[in-house]
Amino acid sequence: MSGTSQTQTLFGLDGKLALITGGTRGIGRATAELFAQLGASVIIVARDSAGILVCLEKWRALGLKVRGLSADLAEREERDRLISELDLDSLDILVNNVGTNIRRPAQEYSPAEYSQIMRTNLDSAFELSVALQPALASTGDAAIANVSSVAGLTHLGTGVAYGMSKAAMNQMTRNLAVEWASAGIRVNAICPWYTDTPLARTVLDKPLYRDAVLAHTPMGRIARAQEVAAAIAFLCSPAASFVTGQCLAVDGGFSVRGFDAPVV
């Protein structure tokens, strides 16, 4: 095998079937496009039917193998319908990416807002993973990538409910990695810092907020969605075949910055 062929085998996704939630925007959209470029057949899931059609038109014009299904994964009935509609005997990759946030001080969350964040960010990932475990296990060499956040690793002023949902996702990642290792399923999480996505732009478009984010980022810039997608692709590729139970920060150094002592 030539060096090029070996590299393509290690980092490619030829012949893989991948399901990506929240696949029409931001990190999910970038991941779907990259996976398809790497040779995978991709199924995206999103609430926005019109957004799905826009994405599919673009990708199919590029010759990429992607199809889409509409479902609101915050709702258990919709998750059940999706699983039934998919009817998968085998699945190589599951990317639990769908997520939302409502920024509030802790005492101001309504029960409905708290529930919406947890159902979208955490319940959907857990229930889809469990429901699709037999399909993943059938391959003997499958991967789950949970799109978490550095908010699950340390305090961020982005709301306690969001941080709780991502911290729980990180622990779910560790537990399932151990529980399902014997079934040939690797489970990892990706923990991005602020990334240029529609959800993050609601705050990044405010100059003072953006400046504060940059001041706490050693690399001095905002991540691109494609950079997070590349980390997800690595964790789902043969190159990461002995990596499981890990929470990889894709954060430009934010999580290890610590205290910058002033010159005195």
Side-chain angles (χ1 to χ4, degrees), residues 147-235:
V147 181
S148 182
S149 167
V150 290
L153 303 175
T154 188
H155 166 74
L156 293 185
T158 191
V160 64
Y162 182 81
M164 290 168 65
S165 72
K166 296 302 186 178
M169 174 178 273
N170 292 345
Q171 191 58 39
M172 179 186 78
T173 296
R174 299 181 186 102
N175 280 66
L176 293 184
V178 174
E179 187 172 335
W180 292 350
S182 61
I185 303 172
R186 297 183 299 105
V187 188
N188 291 289
I190 300 87
C191 299
W193 176 223
Y194 278 101
T195 304
D196 186 16
T197 67
L199 182 63
R201 284 184 209 124
T202 59
V203 290
L204 291 177
D205 285 345
K206 300 173 183 178
L208 288 177
Y209 197 101
R210 185 182 184 91
D211 288 347
V213 170
L214 295 176
H216 285 81
T217 307
M219 290 185 70
R221 63 177 178 83
I222 304 300
R224 298 185 296 274
Q226 293 80 1
E227 292 175 307
V228 182
I232 297 170
F234 163 70
L235 288 174

Side-chain angles (χ1 to χ4, degrees), residues 19-25 28-29 43-53 55 59 67-74 78 81-82 97-99 128:
L19 177 67
I20 300 172
T21 67
T24 58
R25 301 196 304 166
R29 180 170 179 164
I43 305 168
I44 61 168
V45 181
R47 288 183 304 173
D48 181 11
S49 298
I52 291 174
L53 292 176
C55 290
W59 290 331
R67 65 186 179 102
L69 295 171
S70 177
D72 182 354
L73 296 179
E78 289 281 283
R81 179 182 62 79
L82 174 67
N97 168 72
V98 68
L128 277 185

Side-chain angles (χ1 to χ4, degrees), residues 68-107:
L69 295 171
S70 177
D72 182 354
L73 296 179
E75 304 300 329
R76 175 170 284 111
E77 295 80 6
E78 289 281 283
R79 295 194 289 268
D80 291 343
R81 179 182 62 79
L82 174 67
I83 296 301
S84 177
E85 189 172 341
L86 284 167
D87 191 26
L88 293 174
D89 293 323
S90 66
L91 178 67
D92 298 289
I93 299 168
L94 170 62
V95 180
N96 289 308
N97 168 72
V98 68
T100 192
N101 193 17
I102 302 168
R103 294 172 175 85
R104 296 270 192 277
Q107 66 273 23

Side-chain angles (χ1 to χ4, degrees), residues 1-11:
M1 182 181 294
S2 69
T4 300
S5 297
Q6 186 175 30
T7 300
Q8 290 172 339
T9 300
L10 274 175
F11 293 94

